[in-house]
Amino acid sequence: MDTEWSQLSEDWERVRWARLQAGFPTARSASETLSMKEDTYSAYERPPEASKSTRLKDQRAIQFGRKFKVSWKWLLLGEGTPFDDVRSPAQDRVMAAMATVDEKQQERVAAAVEALLKAG
């Protein structure tokens, strides 16, 4: 198992590593799939001392985490591993709410969510 990720102390390093492990060989390929300008995306992979560097914030970490299939908390803070739970904060809220109701109610909620998602 590749443990290179455990040596990455900066968010920009983690973003780059996540992109590569997700199969995006270039910043351009990642930016296209994220519907971002290449320069905008690339700024997240630059060290702070570099020109046009951008620090990672919560919403971008969530977006990148989803796309690269890694933990957004790991991307942002370096806590845990990239393979920890990759749910978003919204998914965490739904899971917490579902845990407070019985199984029959959970089934009704799940059906309603599925219907909403299908409706677009």
Side-chain angles (χ1 to χ4, degrees), residues 1 7 14 18-19 43 45 56 60 63-64 69 72-73 79 82 90-92 107 110 113 116-117:
M1 178 182 200
Q7 305 302 313
R14 292 187 294 272
R19 169 182 56 83
E45 289 193 13
L56 193 61
R60 285 290 189 211
Q63 179 186 21
F64 295 169
K69 295 182 177 31
W72 71 271
K73 291 176 186 175
E79 294 177 359
Q91 289 170 316
D92 285 340
E107 286 298 326
V113 168
L116 284 169
L117 293 173

Side-chain angles (χ1 to χ4, degrees), residues 103-115:
E103 193 169 331
K104 192 172 186 176
Q105 181 68 6
Q106 288 179 10
E107 286 298 326
R108 288 195 295 266
V109 171
V113 168
E114 289 169 345

Side-chain angles (χ1 to χ4, degrees), residues 2-31:
D2 175 17
T3 59
E4 179 186 353
W5 60 267
S6 65
Q7 305 302 313
L8 306 175
S9 60
E10 301 291 331
D11 59 7
W12 63 272
E13 295 173 307
R14 292 187 294 272
V15 169
R16 183 174 190 281
W17 179 90
R19 169 182 56 83
L20 291 169
Q21 71 81 34
F24 297 100
T26 63
R28 170 176 266 165
S29 63
S31 69

Side-chain angles (χ1 to χ4, degrees), residues 11-12 14-16 18-19 30-45 54-77 86 88-89:
D11 59 7
W12 63 272
R14 292 187 294 272
V15 169
R16 183 174 190 281
R19 169 182 56 83
S31 69
E32 288 171 355
T33 194
L34 289 161
S35 301
M36 297 174 75
K37 292 181 179 180
E38 182 179 1
D39 289 344
T40 301
Y41 172 80
S42 294
Y44 291 99
E45 289 193 13
T54 301
R55 292 291 301 188
L56 193 61
K57 303 283 187 207
D58 293 10
Q59 290 303 316
R60 285 290 189 211
I62 293 166
Q63 179 186 21
F64 295 169
R66 284 185 188 145
K67 183 57 67 177
F68 302 150
K69 295 182 177 31
V70 298
S71 164
W72 71 271
K73 291 176 186 175
W74 175 78
L75 274 179
L76 183 64
L77 305 170
V86 295
S88 71

